[in-house]
Every structure is written in C-alpha cells, then in structure tokens.
Amino acid sequence: TKVIDRLRPGKTVFSVEFFPPKTDEEERQLWRAIRELEPLDPAYVSVTYGAGGSSRDRTVRTTGRIASDTTLVAMAHLTGVNHSIAELRHVIGSYAAEGIQNVLAIRGDPPGDPMGEWIPHPEGITYADELVRLVRECGDFCVGVAAFPHMHPRSPDLESDTKHMVNKLRAGADFSVAQMFLEPEHFLRLRDRLAQHGCHQPLLPGIMPITTPKVLGMTTQLSNMTIPDEVSAVLDPLRDDPAGFREAGLEITTRLCEKLIAEGVPALHFYSLNRSKATREVLANLGLIDGVLKSAA
Ligand code: FAD
C-alpha cells in the first residue's frame, strides 16, 4: 500500500515517525509503541535513516519488519549522506526486497554537525531532488520529501527556499512532511507558497507532542524557530513541575492540531520518539480515536 492512497480528501488522519532502535531495551519500547498504535489505524508509520552503517541496516530491518509483521503501511527514510549513487540504488533495492513501497527522500546533514559544511559524496547526490528522481527510477515507489515551515536553516531567503522546495516536488514527489513548528501560520504560509507555484501535493504538518522541557528544546533546535511568547508564558513557570508541564504542553499541542484540522490538513504527522502515550493522548483530546484509546491509555 502507498502512503498517498491512505490520505483521504476532506478527512484528517494521522501518521507516526520512529527511529531505528539501538539496544534491546529500545527495541522492546519501539515494538510496544507499534503494537499500541496499530489498532488506531495510522495512515502510515515511518522510520528515520541514520548516519552510520549499522543504524542504516537497522532502518531497513525495522521498516521491513513493520511491513511484514504488522497491518501498518511502512515508509523508510533515505538520505544521501556518504553514499554513492550505486550504494543508494542498493539500499532502495533492499527496501523493495523488504516489501516497502514508500520512501522519504532526504538530502541529509553532515554527520556530527548538522550545520557543518556539506560535502557531497564524489559519486553521490548534492540535493534531495536528485534522490527523488533516483528513487522513482529504481521502482514503483511512493516518494515523500521534507518541508520547512520556518525555511531550511541553510536557505539564504524564503524565495530560494521555496524555489528549491518546488523543484523537489516537481522532481516527482507525491507528498511532503513538514518539520516541527508551533504557530500554524508558518505552516499555512508554506502551503500557500507551494500552491502559488502549482504544487498541490499533500503537505503534512509535523507534530511533536510537548511533554518535557527537553522535548521543547529539541523542537526549536531542529526546526529553525524560536519558541513563541505565548508558549513560553505558559510553560516556563512549569519547568520544575513535570506533571504540570506535560499537561500544559499536551494542551498546547492539542490546540495546534485543532487549528490544523480546521485548515483541512490531510494528516497530522507525529514525531513520537518511539513512544505512543503522548500521541494517543493528543489523538484522544482531538476525538480522533476515543473508543479505542480508553482501553489502551
Ligand atoms: P534539500 O531539499 O536538498 O535542501 C537542503 C538545502 O539546500 C535547502 O536550504 C535548500 O533550499 C537548498 N537547495 C536545494 N536544492 C538546491 C539547489 N539546486 N541549489 C542550491 N540550493 C539548493 N535527517 C536524517 O539524517 N535522517 C532522517 O531520517 C531524516 N528525516 C527527516 C524527516 C523530516 C520530515 C524532516 C523535515 C527532516 C528529516 N531529516 C532527516 C533532516 C534532514 O536531513 C535535514 O533537514 C537536511 O538538512 C535537509 O534535507 P532536505 O532533503 O530537505 O535537503
């Protein structure tokens, strides 16, 4: 099944992102989350792609196991970091062999320092649009790309950011998934900019359920945004009150999702950190899954 066929016009569904587990304990935790989410019928679940060889093998294995052992639609991420085109073809072939039909094609960052100098592999790709074309060439995949509501941190201005995003979609992407943000306006403006260029592929907002000060910090690091004043005003006084912070953080996450649903987004894409509880709580707050959730909470 392809991700694009799981998105239904006029209805907001949800999807969940995982990372490949490194230890046995992480593996157990991931599979607990997968089994808790499975009955809620996410549109798809995806697995990120790391920088090193063993983590890359784990992406192939984990996504393959989700595709074969669960009812879930699986998507594997792929980056161009330190790969020749021949190696990229090989990984894409492994995805196909595992029964994976969906690939998120991403350029990636230099290992170690995301803002360090990007040096392409001499026989590799320089930008994500090349990877989109390569994945398409290698088989009948549904291809997604990354989008940035606060523009990509390397983009000099919004104009060039939009131009390259449009190129990536025109290279053959079926949909895009946005980096985290806390103010819907930034996401909606990105959607409008793409539509102005004739790009109407589904754009999924990326949602990080805010559960701890550390998670909130991660959202700002990855997304090129600063925390909005309204959010700081609520959460800063709760930094030493874990339960209060979590409750208020999930409330803020829920309100954000409500606005996005009202704007007709095709799906809410949750960055789950390999846990399911916060995602399930937000979905329950939104009334997207009430009956099922109560027993699993
Ligand atoms: P690109 O689209 O290639 O863009 C990178 C920069 O280059 C942008 O500033 C763009 O405007 C510019 N650019 C593009 N084309 C051109 C051109 N022709 N000429 C000049 N400039 C150009 N990282 C991982 O390592 N593993 C993951 O699994 C992973 N998953 C992610 C999932 C999502 C949903 C998101 C949003 C990000 C993810 N990332 C992941 C992070 C990602 O690797 C970084 O954000 C990376 O810096 C950008 O990748 P990209 O595909 O957007 O790059």
Side-chain angles (χ1 to χ4, degrees):
T1 307
K2 299 202 168 144
V3 166
I4 195 73
D5 296 326
R6 297 278 291 160
L7 305 175
R8 297 257 166 270
K11 182 171 185 266
T12 301
V13 292
F14 79 100
S15 55
V16 183
E17 185 165 312
F18 302 120
F19 57 84
K22 285 189 278 298
T23 61
D24 290 352
E25 177 47 34
E26 278 186 16
E27 174 112 20
R28 276 193 292 277
Q29 187 185 307
L30 170 65
W31 279 91
R32 204 177 311 133
I34 290 173
R35 293 304 181 195
E36 285 162 351
L37 289 161
E38 195 176 5
L40 310 182
D41 194 28
Y44 73 92
V45 302
S46 70
V47 181
T48 61
Y49 197 72
S54 62
S55 131
R56 294 176 159 190
D57 294 341
R58 284 196 299 270
T59 299
V60 179
R61 263 203 321 274
T62 305
T63 321
R65 195 176 149 204
I66 294 172
S68 65
D69 292 7
T70 75
T71 56
L72 298 166
V73 173
M75 175 167 83
H77 295 198
L78 177 61
T79 76
V81 177
N82 286 342
H83 273 319
S84 65
I85 300 262
E87 286 163 357
L88 288 167
R89 282 183 192 278
H90 178 77
V91 181
I92 299 164
S94 325
Y95 286 164
E98 294 280 349
I100 298 159
Q101 297 181 20
N102 305 288
V103 177
L104 193 77
I106 320 152
R107 196 279 291 276
D109 291 315
D113 176 10
M115 283 311 282
E117 192 191 353
W118 164 256
I119 302 169
H121 185 289
E123 289 151 31
I125 59 141
T126 309
Y127 295 111
D129 61 325
E130 297 157 64
L131 190 55
V132 172
R133 283 192 204 91
L134 182 68
V135 176
R136 282 236 164 268
E137 225 180 87
C138 289
D140 182 21
F141 291 99
C142 172
V143 182
V145 289
F148 299 84
H150 290 265
M151 77 180 197
H152 189 277
R154 286 177 192 271
S155 295
D157 51 57
L158 212 51
E159 198 184 335
S160 89
D161 189 84
T162 308
K163 181 175 124 196
H164 297 310
M165 182 69 208
V166 166
N167 275 344
K168 202 153 71 163
L169 289 165
R170 288 190 182 149
D174 296 290
F175 70 105
S176 49
V177 184
Q179 189 56 279
M180 294 161 249
F181 60 93
L182 289 171
E183 293 158 301
E185 298 71 29
H186 293 274
F187 173 86
L188 297 171
R189 277 185 219 130
L190 167 65
R191 189 171 73 174
D192 288 348
R193 286 196 297 279
L194 297 177
Q196 276 159 14
H197 287 81
C199 293
H200 299 284
Q201 291 94 332
L203 169 64
L204 277 53
I207 308 291
M208 175 78 98
I210 305 170
T211 47
T212 64
K214 192 171 157 208
V215 165
L216 182 63
M218 272 172 66
T219 64
T220 55
Q221 254 173 38
L222 290 167
S223 64
N224 200 26
M225 69 169 177
T226 46
I227 301 174
D229 291 343
E230 311 86 80
V231 172
S232 303
V234 175
L235 294 181
D236 279 352
L238 297 169
R239 283 184 180 264
D240 295 322
D241 169 10
F245 188 97
R246 188 175 190 281
E247 194 185 336
L250 291 184
E251 177 69 22
I252 289 168
T253 311
T254 303
R255 296 284 94 83
L256 172 63
C257 292
E258 280 172 352
K259 289 184 190 150
L260 292 166
I261 292 171
E263 290 288 343
V265 298
L268 302 164
H269 180 74
F270 286 93
Y271 296 106
S272 72
L273 304 175
N274 290 6
R275 294 172 189 275
S276 79
K277 192 159 183 272
T279 300
R280 288 184 290 126
E281 278 177 48
V282 173
L283 290 171
N285 290 346
L286 295 167
L288 287 181
I289 45 156
D290 20 350
V292 193
L293 186 80
K294 287 195 181 96
S295 59

